[in-house]
């Protein structure tokens, strides 16, 4: 099956034509490891997991190499270590472990290779030395800088001209720079910071060079797909292209560039100050199943902004319960539904794939529904256990609470009402009491077993 993907570089949907026929190579920028992944960080992970699954299906599991790095040397990590009194190694190890646990829970496959930047310092130094000798970089005051104006195509990916960048004032001026546009390849480290010996003294790499060095070391001069969030397009991806194309002019780095749009929460940009910031782990701990999170994500095309809402969560859970109840009646694994493959092969039309799931469900086509759920990463060998637990009808509890309230108003003793409210809350049920009546709503993490005592 032909796969078409939207290429940021050409602004068009293109047929995927692998550099090495029959084999596909993909590089996706991974996390900087100092804290739990927030829900937005999960978007590129899920998007490129869907692509990885599609590629494996079309080309064969062994024919696809998917590389996603861990940035384990970064000033944010250094700051976290200094503030917490813990070692950098402890923090990065713990965060990588968390990342794996949390992303596994979303049904994402581990990439073929997950290189850590600190294992690739030698390759970075070598690449920087090459850039200096070809005149694309220069050393100054313990730093090494990339000479942006030495690479003519700089800005082509994001469609910016070098002059716009200067007036945009997003560039940092520093005395050791020939030009404010030039960016750091290497910087000096003081004794209290992580550092490696280099021809320019003890120091550490700038952020961008790691992806260029690891992509080249693992995938070579030219490879098929490069992905990441669209916040990385400039400057990170522009810088990756400039470094790689100047260091290895015999190749042309990534052929197709894919960028996912950002995730918002209830219509607003997610931020700690707005109080709408949460991690994948927060949701999982509240009892939101990973499959439900994944299903909500698949509902929006990756090139559109996506909104995480409580309403979508509830709808996704109800839909998945219905699908799983049907799928549980079948057994085994087979081939996913061809219209679902087709939807994904058309620039990852995941919303179209979900529409096809609904069609299969309506037609009660159990085997294909089951295989397709597996293909989309929404179930393993069996449907998830949570989907087998019955949905509890809360109306009898609401009626009972309303009778207790009537009695309490007569005899002015609200203790029984309060006791029942507390028990409901403890079971994970939100209680809304008003003059109009009583409304009970099961929240994520709702535990029906705890309601037994109320019967
Ligand atoms: P970072 O660890 O900040 O470098 O981010 C890791 C990945 O998460 C990058 O590919 C970012 O583009 C992506 N990302 C960060 N915030 C969001 C968001 N709100 N929505 C979607 N992707 C995001
Ligand atoms: Zn990168």
């Amino acid at each position: 099956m032909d796969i078409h993907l939207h290429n940021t570089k050409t602004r068009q949907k293109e047929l995927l034509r692998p550099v090495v026929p029959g084999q596909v190579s993909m590089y996706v920028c991974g996390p900087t490891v100092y804290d739990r992944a927030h829900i937005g960080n999960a978007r590129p992970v899920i998007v490129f997991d869907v692509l990885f699954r599609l590629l494996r299906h079309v080309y064969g599991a062994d024919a696809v190499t998917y590389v996603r790095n861990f940035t384990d040397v970064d000033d944010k990590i250094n700051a976290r270590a200094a503030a917490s009194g813990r070692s950098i190694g402890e923090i990065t190890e713990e965060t990588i472990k968390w990342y794996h646990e949390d992303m596994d829970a979303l049904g994402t496959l581990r990439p073929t290779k997950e290189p850590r930047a600190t294992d690739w310092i030698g390759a970075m130094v070598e690449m920087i030395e090459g850039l200096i000798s070809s005149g694309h970089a220069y050393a100054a005051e313990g730093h090494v800088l990339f000479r942006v104006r030495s690479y003519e195509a700089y800005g082509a990916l994001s469609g910016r001209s070098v002059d716009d960048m200067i007036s945009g004032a997003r560039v940092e001026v520093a005395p050791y720079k020939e030009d404010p546009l030039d960016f750091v390849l290497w910087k000096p480290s003081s004794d209290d910071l992580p550092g490696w010996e280099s021809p320019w003294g003890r120091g550490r790499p700038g952020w961008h060079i790691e992806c260029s060095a690891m992509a080249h070391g693992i995938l070579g001069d030219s490879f098929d797909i490069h992905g990441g969030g669209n916040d990385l397009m400039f400057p990170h991806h522009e810088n990756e292209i400039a470094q790689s194309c100047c260091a290895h002019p015999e190749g042309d780095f990534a052929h197709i560039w894919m960028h996912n749009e950002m995730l918002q929460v209830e219509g607003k940009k997610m931020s700690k100050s707005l109080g709408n910031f949460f991690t994948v782990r927060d949701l999982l701990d509240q009892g939101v199943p990973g499959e439900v999170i994944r299903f909500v994500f698949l509902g929006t095309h990756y090139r559109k902004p996506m909104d995480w809402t409580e309403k979508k969560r509830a709808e996704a859970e109800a839909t998945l319960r219905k699908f799983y109840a049907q799928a549980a009646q079948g057994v085994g694994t087979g081939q996913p539904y061809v219209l679902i493959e087709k939807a994904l092969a058309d620039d990852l039309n995941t919303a179209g794939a979900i529409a096809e799931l609904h069609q299969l469900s309506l037609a009660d086509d159990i085997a294909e529904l089951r295989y397709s759920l597996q293909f989309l990463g929404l179930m393993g060998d069996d449907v998830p256990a949570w989907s087998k637990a019955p949905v509890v009808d809360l109306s009898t509890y609401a009626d009972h609470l309303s009778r207790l309230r009537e009695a309490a108003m007569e005899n002015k003793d609200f203790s029984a009402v309060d006791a029942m409210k507390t028990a409901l809350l403890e079971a994970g049920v939100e209680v809304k009491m008003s003059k109009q009546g009583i409304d009970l709503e099961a929240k994520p993490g709702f535990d029906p077993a705890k309601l037994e005592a109320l019967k």
Side-chain angles (χ1 to χ4, degrees), residues 29-32 38 40-41 43-44 228-232 260-263 270:
C29 296
T32 305
H38 63 63
N41 296 140
R43 194 165 192 205
N230 67 353
D231 57 329
L232 301 183
N260 64 272
E261 253 288 355
M262 294 290 102
L263 173 140
M270 184 167 52

Side-chain angles (χ1 to χ4, degrees), residues 285-304:
D285 283 350
Q286 284 164 29
V288 182
E291 294 85 0
V292 170
I293 302 174
R294 185 175 178 99
F295 194 75
V296 170
F297 276 55
L298 299 187
T300 304
H301 189 253
Y302 75 94
R303 286 197 294 117
K304 297 205 178 99

